[in-house]
Amino acid sequence: MRLPTLKWTGDALELIDQTLLPGELVIERCEKVEEVHEAIRRLVVRGAPAIGVAAAYGVLLAARAAGNVSPEEVRNHVARAADYLETARPTAVNLSWAVRRMVRAAEEKGPSAQELYGRLAREAEAIADEDRHANRRMGKFGAALLRDGATVLTHCNAGALATVDYGTALGVVYAAAEEGKNISVYVDETRPLLQGARLTAWELMQAGVPATLICDDAAATVMAQGRVDCVLVGADRVAANGDVANKIGTLNLAILARHFLVPFYVAAPLSSVDFDTASGADVPVEERTYEEVTGFGGVRTAPPGVGVSNPAFDVTPARLVDAIITEAGVAKPPLGPALAALKDETDRSAV
Ligand code: MRU
């Protein structure tokens, strides 16, 4: 059986260390909020939904560490932990969405410190469960877009490793395969950190889905040769107008897809849609260390002293996106109003 991407044990958060895959399968145990922060920052756990869930448990660890204090003190610990965890990575909105949910769960006055802790534990579990559920629903909606025999091109890792389970974009692939469709996947290696080569290729092989690894530069060629039926990626943050922030290189694929008339699909839960961010221009894009670009795995490939730019994400304008697959249904252009309608529907059915 596959090991879970993350697991709450009652007193710690266990994470598959994704920096070591596929060579080593090591579980990292986080007992303190600081360790969760560091795990998110170092990409031990990565992928928008997974870092949201990890951060929720980070808040829970902070509440636990507060010890025998007043409910007010627990609330203070929770608020401080939320602010702190938000600084780990700026782009994926799931992180702040999850920690703000934890803060709200602690807000109601009345319960004892112990009851408050129980409430926080249930909220973190609910965030994790909702992610599992959303991925299955996205899979079902998205599978309808894939014909039997389709070849998908994907970028980075939007699979089980990027979520609690199953995945967003890869969840769609798994769901189509479970329906009996023959689906194969071109996997972009995804420089600089090779999430495609290291994680997506590994995941697809474990799932028995035919996968072909290509270097990022080969995407135009496979599309030009007519070998790609659709591009399917995840998202770190979708702005209110439908602009999509995702792993650097996603924009290249969207431009190519439009040029070669290949549909470009995004699979993202509504927790990745930031209705408070008007457009992609307002999404904070994480800039990571130059060392990720000047080498890999401790081997230097660029001359010392060379200038480096290393944005971890890019923004694909909504006009290049043919559909956003969510757990509430598929949003088609115009994406802004379509996403807002799906959100309204979801909020109404939750009441
Ligand atoms: O830097 P990473 O590995 O966290 O980037 C992850 C991605 O860009 C994923 O495509 C995105 O988070 C969607 S995950 C379901």
Side-chain angles (χ1 to χ4, degrees), residues 282-315:
D282 307 312
V283 174
V285 172
E286 179 182 8
E287 179 78 23
R288 292 187 63 88
T289 168
Y290 72 92
E291 282 142 330
E292 292 178 352
V293 180
T294 55
F296 188 80
V299 178
R300 211 188 157 93
T301 50
V306 68
V308 172
S309 165
N310 185 19
F313 301 95
D314 60 25
V315 176

Side-chain angles (χ1 to χ4, degrees), residues 29 38 103 115 121-122 131 134 139 191 196 208 215 218 254 281 311 313 322 334:
R29 190 177 155 84
E38 183 61 6
V103 170
E115 284 164 346
R122 285 192 296 281
D131 182 57
R191 268 290 282 160
C215 55
F313 301 95
D322 293 295

Side-chain angles (χ1 to χ4, degrees), residues 2 24 95 132 142 157 180 207 246 253 263 284 298 310 316-317:
R2 206 186 70 79
E24 290 174 70
L95 200 166
R132 282 189 195 92
N157 173 266
N246 191 49
L253 293 181
N310 185 19
T316 297

Side-chain angles (χ1 to χ4, degrees), residues 162-213:
T163 60
V164 177
D165 191 25
Y166 208 57
T168 57
L170 293 192
V172 170
V173 169
Y174 297 145
E178 282 160 22
E179 285 175 8
K181 293 178 186 167
N182 240 320
I183 307 292
S184 52
V185 182
Y186 277 114
V187 180
D188 262 7
E189 63 174 354
T190 319
R191 268 290 282 160
L193 293 180
L194 302 181
Q195 287 94 329
R198 295 187 305 103
L199 309 177
T200 298
W202 185 72
E203 241 196 83
L204 289 171
M205 288 175 78
Q206 284 195 330
V209 175
T212 304
L213 182 63

